[in-house]
Amino acid sequence: MPPTAHQVWFLVFDQFQLLDVSGPLQVFATANDELRLAGRTPVYETGVYGLSGGAVRSSSGVDLVARALPQRLARKVQTVVVPGGPGVFRPAAAGREAQDTPVAATLAQWLRRASPRIERLASVCTGAFVLAHTGLLDGAGAVTHWAACEHLSARFPAIDVQPDAIYFRQGRVWTSAGVTAGIDMALGMVETDLGRDIAMAVAKKLVVFYKRPGGQSQFSSALLEQTADDERITRLHAWIAEHLRLDLSVARMADQMGMTLRTFARFYASHTGTTPAHAVERIRLEKACRLIEAHRHSNKAIAVQCGFNSEEVMRRMFMRHLNVSPKGYRERFAAADTQGPQ
């Protein structure tokens, strides 16, 4: 490997997520393969590092042998990637949110010291919490796994969390969503370093999307569920879900709650942070997603069942909230063991 090699360091800790490392690692390795095939010199030199040298246990039980991180970087490192995994968090005390582990905090201390010599800093999945702990994400945009976005935002309010992004780049800092999104991010890095043709060749070789369609919200039905701190709203949501074919106007919902229109609108907004009309949209969309996943109905029938005025209205709703069409959602998530209607 020439002295101008692009160093890529993966920083691991006990109970890291193995795919957060192996996925991006393979992207860089395959990029080297494609460079060789093109008669060019490979550029990426990858390594796995930990706070101390030796075997580091992943959350799947597989160990990786890591080199010990130097106390101080003697030279620049082009890319440093922090994976996620359950090791980022320690078990929560009763009634308290999970906090960063001492290992993650120590890793963050190393990153702060080394930061001036790191040209590109990245995280995969909940590795964003380690970067957040350094303070390097303050005032910047970032993303993590969809299930942890609210936690990241609440714990580090100075970060502009981007809950639907597959990966997000701001300056030299890159963050990515859950698990396989690290592959998307690594492909984006390869494109930046080596150009579109090599990145496209890597994506084809690995049989993955070069540019994944849609955001990460398409991967979680939980993102569409309505939560509130009042049982009356929970009951209202259940009633809405059972009456999706009705004209669910705000006036009708207010009547169902036994409130005046103005009182209901204020009450609902104060307890949910959104509007009743927006909630109806999301509950209809949630129902449509589940029906598509079951693969038992055509899109037209689903539009009727969910109270959309037409199949086109449903399609626009999918694009607005999930950035993917009902057809695209069906192709990704419908049950694979049956060929249902389209």
Side-chain angles (χ1 to χ4, degrees), residues 24-37 198 201-203 205-206:
L25 183 63
Q26 188 58 56
V27 170
F28 295 119
T30 303
N32 278 343
D33 293 340
E34 292 301 317
L35 288 171
R36 291 187 187 96
L37 289 173
I198 293 295
V202 171
K205 186 67 66 67
L206 298 182

Side-chain angles (χ1 to χ4, degrees), residues 289-306:
C289 287
R290 291 180 176 175
L291 290 174
I292 289 174
E293 289 163 11
H295 214 329
R296 296 171 185 166
H297 307 278
S298 68
N299 287 346
K300 183 176 182 180
I302 290 172
V304 172
Q305 288 189 51
C306 296

Side-chain angles (χ1 to χ4, degrees), residues 230 232-233 257 259 262-271:
D230 192 295
R232 289 172 292 178
I233 292 179
M257 293 285 285
M259 298 178 180
R262 180 177 296 179
T263 299
F264 170 65
R266 283 201 307 265
F267 171 81
Y268 192 90
S270 68
H271 285 275

